[in-house]
Amino acid sequence: MIEKLRNCFDEMVVYKDLKKSNFFSSLSLPSFMRDWLLKRFADENGSFEPAELAEFVKTYLPRKDDWTAIKNRIIKDNERVKFLAKISADIDIKTGEVSFSLPDFGLTGKQTIIEDRVWDECKDDLVTGRETWGMIEIAYRQPDDDLKLPGKIKLTNFKTFCPYSIDLEYYKDARQEFTTAEWIDLLLGAVDYNADGYQGDEEKKLTMLTRLLPFVEKRLNLIELAPKGTGKSYLFGRVSRYGWLSSGGVMSRAKMFYDISKRTEGLVAGNDFITLDEVQTISFTDVNEMRAAMKGYLESGVYTVGNYEGTAEAGVILCGNIRKETMDNDGYTNMFEELPAVFHESALIERFHGFIKGWNIPRMNDDLKISGWALNSEYFCSIMHELRSDMTYRAIVDELVEVPEAADTRDTEAVKRIATAYLKLLFPGVRTAQDISAADFTRYCLRRAKWMRDTIKVQLGILDSEYSGKDVPMFLTRDV
């Protein structure tokens, strides 16, 4: 398996040692950043010089608290400063002036400029998404009273965080070199988990990987309740640079969707998924306002705030802890009673496509931490991001799934959407309906999708008698 992995993915494989080494945990780096550094500093045997790597982190990964010192170097000492950061660009319609923002440091476009020469050199990388990770170099444009130009921080250079192009077709072809069992283990390693730690329990492995479904499918909305310590926060918040994890605190419609006063889009517009972690502890500034916005968005991806109508493709995931006595009933007691009041309405819950039974995921322990060669998390998450836009998988699912008569439209959409995400994740090499056996599609995609929808329907029946007894019908795989 290891030899096959390295032969197929070559430079996109890194040696991860999370079980024995706490070097990276002491640096508090997300997985995609850690693997980017490993790719840069590790030799062919996976070894690296800790002092050299630590010096790079100190120099090029500043903390928020370092921002004043950086401004001093730029403005007062007239230096050019280079560091890794998340950047977004904007073009002023009235003036044609290009500005940039560094959201992690609170630097807004009103304080910055990208001059034409620099823009021509880096625009291809900066127009690809709302926010882009990369190595930035910034300096100061002195104010000019004669020309009435204010002082601004200017971008002098930018190199994208992902210097290589993502070859989806190669990734799809590589899947054919692995059995399904090997591929499941490969996916676990890509997100920092040791497949051997599951002791051959395929169900536990697949439940863990279910958390990745919103990474590969647009607007897939899920609810997960799990015991403490099963790694929810880590997977949703530390693995991918394309998602957002919000843990507790206050959430407003302005932050989630659109801020009228600032005229800025919210979290759903700039991320692949939004995870509301520790959802029991989240409070909402206006429950009715948030509920109305959520219902519209979860249904269609459209949100209306005041006179502004926006669209987005981020999935919404609710994560919370669950008591042992509740999970022992396997979902047949009211699991949502401890959730915030905004989620106590059946019309809102129905718009979530599926439920992850987090009690099937073992509590995190050292044996579940990867220690060996695995797919680079940064590369893998970029692949998942690209797979979101591949519509061919949904066409295959539409061809394969036989929808029961009079099936509820929301049930049908939920089952198909989840099955599509499973197909992308587990069988990315499938290009036509004939490329996957009916048995594999039923076992790994369709049946699991129905199970995830079943729990939502059971909970709906508990919340609202109107849904009582209305089970998800049996979806079948059509012979093709």
Side-chain angles (χ1 to χ4, degrees):
M1 168 70 173
I2 299 300
E3 185 177 348
K4 192 185 297 186
L5 176 67
R6 297 188 71 178
N7 286 339
C8 287
F9 290 103
D10 194 20
E11 292 185 359
M12 298 310 166
V13 177
V14 294
Y15 191 86
K16 306 180 187 183
D17 189 4
L18 305 188
K19 183 176 180 179
K20 299 176 183 176
S21 172
N22 64 355
F23 175 79
F24 282 103
S25 62
S26 67
L27 297 177
S28 298
L29 296 176
S31 298
F32 66 87
M33 183 68 74
R34 179 207 64 219
D35 285 4
W36 183 85
L37 290 169
L38 282 172
K39 187 172 181 292
R40 183 184 180 104
F41 286 96
D43 61 24
E44 61 181 14
N45 297 315
S47 300
F48 61 90
E49 177 52 55
E52 181 185 13
L53 198 151
E55 182 61 28
F56 180 91
V57 170
K58 181 181 178 181
T59 304
Y60 294 110
L61 280 170
R63 300 165 300 173
K64 206 168 190 176
D65 295 344
D66 297 324
W67 180 238
T68 300
I70 292 173
K71 285 194 293 183
N72 180 69
R73 291 173 61 192
I74 295 167
I75 299 170
K76 296 299 184 181
D77 298 338
N78 200 30
E79 292 184 34
R80 290 190 176 194
V81 179
K82 184 187 294 185
F83 56 94
L84 279 166
K86 191 163 50 178
I87 183 173
S88 62
D90 189 39
I91 303 173
D92 189 291
I93 296 174
K94 293 181 180 179
T95 66
E97 189 173 275
V98 186
S99 62
F100 68 96
S101 301
L102 302 180
D104 291 341
F105 299 97
L107 183 68
T108 66
K110 294 179 180 179
Q111 305 163 290
T112 67
I113 188 169
I114 304 179
E115 295 169 342
D116 289 344
R117 177 188 61 80
V118 177
W119 179 246
D120 289 340
E121 292 174 356
C122 63
K123 62 184 178 183
D124 290 344
D125 291 324
L126 291 175
V127 298
T128 55
R130 187 182 178 201
E131 293 179 345
T132 306
W133 270 92
M135 183 70 77
I136 69 168
E137 184 183 74
I138 53 178
Y140 188 57
R141 185 191 74 178
Q142 298 289 339
D144 189 319
D145 294 335
D146 294 336
L147 297 176
K148 295 182 180 180
L149 293 176
K152 288 193 174 184
I153 292 177
K154 62 181 181 179
L155 186 73
T156 54
N157 200 2
F158 176 78
K159 290 186 178 180
T160 180
F161 186 80
C162 183
Y164 49 86
S165 59
I166 298 296
D167 189 341
L168 265 184
E169 294 306 309
Y170 180 86
Y171 178 82
K172 292 177 181 182
D173 289 339
R175 167 63 179 92
Q176 309 309 319
E177 302 298 319
F178 299 84
T179 67
T180 299
E182 289 174 337
W183 189 253
I184 289 171
D185 289 354
L186 179 150
L187 296 178
L188 287 167
V191 292
D192 296 348
Y193 287 87
N194 173 30
D196 291 340
Y198 291 88
Q199 299 178 339
D201 192 324
E202 185 181 71
E203 180 57 35
K204 289 181 178 179
K205 292 179 181 180
L206 288 170
T207 307
M208 171 62 80
L209 293 177
T210 299
R211 290 173 171 170
L212 297 179
L213 299 184
F215 291 48
V216 295
E217 182 69 7
K218 294 178 180 178
R219 290 199 304 107
L220 183 56
N221 309 310
L222 302 177
I223 300 173
E224 177 181 347
L225 297 180
K228 296 176 183 177
T230 56
K232 299 186 296 296
S233 303
Y234 181 82
L235 195 64
F236 288 118
R238 306 293 291 175
V239 171
S240 174
R241 58 191 165 105
Y242 296 103
W244 183 275
L245 179 81
S246 179
S247 297
V250 178
M251 179 60 71
S252 65
R253 184 182 66 174
K255 182 177 181 180
M256 188 85 169
F257 296 103
Y258 184 78
D259 191 319
I260 296 176
S261 62
K262 296 180 180 178
R263 296 183 180 179
T264 56
E265 293 177 313
L267 293 172
V268 296
N271 294 286
D272 285 358
F273 58 89
I274 307 298
T275 303
L276 302 182
D277 194 20
E278 304 290 346
V279 69
Q280 295 100 324
T281 66
I282 293 178
S283 59
F284 297 91
T285 52
D286 187 317
V287 170
N288 292 328
E289 181 182 78
M290 178 60 81
R291 183 183 285 153
M294 288 276 280
K295 281 197 289 189
Y297 178 72
L298 295 179
E299 180 71 19
S300 63
V302 176
Y303 54 93
T304 303
V305 180
N307 294 323
Y308 182 85
E309 181 178 275
T311 60
E313 297 175 337
V316 177
I317 304 117
L318 305 183
C319 284
N321 296 324
I322 190 169
R323 294 176 297 171
K324 187 177 187 302
E325 56 267 31
T326 302
M327 69 182 185
D328 284 345
N329 286 283
D330 203 31
Y332 288 93
T333 55
N334 187 350
M335 295 191 292
F336 297 159
E337 59 185 350
E338 295 180 17
L339 299 188
V342 67
F343 300 113
H344 288 181
E345 183 184 290
S346 57
L348 177 57
I349 294 298
E350 188 182 18
R351 286 164 166 81
F352 284 89
H353 299 111
F355 187 94
I356 302 174
K357 293 182 178 180
W359 52 85
N360 287 339
I361 298 173
R363 184 177 174 84
M364 194 63 199
N365 61 70
D366 284 346
D367 287 343
L368 292 176
K369 296 178 182 178
I370 186 69
S371 181
W373 293 100
L375 205 59
N376 182 333
S377 296
E378 187 265 324
Y379 164 75
F380 177 60
C381 290
S382 297
I383 286 287
M384 289 194 289
H385 175 72
E386 294 297 323
L387 282 171
R388 290 168 62 84
S389 299
D390 194 326
M391 298 293 105
T392 60
Y393 296 94
R394 177 56 187 263
I396 292 169
V397 168
D398 286 339
E399 186 176 351
L400 286 172
V401 174
E402 185 174 325
V403 179
E405 289 187 13
D408 183 273
T409 299
R410 283 188 178 140
D411 288 344
T412 300
E413 177 60 24
V415 169
K416 283 189 172 185
R417 190 169 293 203
I418 296 170
T420 301
Y422 269 122
L423 187 64
K424 290 179 180 181
L425 190 65
L426 300 177
F427 301 94
V430 169
R431 290 180 170 89
T432 70
Q434 289 74 29
D435 291 340
I436 184 170
S437 70
D440 277 349
F441 180 76
T442 301
R443 176 182 176 182
Y444 290 105
C445 304
L446 185 57
R447 188 181 299 157
R448 300 192 68 83
K450 181 184 180 300
W451 288 344
M452 291 177 68
R453 184 62 180 173
D454 281 340
T455 306
I456 294 290
K457 293 302 288 281
V458 168
Q459 289 301 304
L460 283 171
I462 295 170
L463 284 172
D464 188 338
S465 59
E466 180 184 338
Y467 294 90
S468 183
K470 295 184 179 180
D471 298 331
V472 180
M474 182 58 67
F475 287 76
L476 301 175
T477 300
R478 183 183 291 115
D479 290 328
V480 292

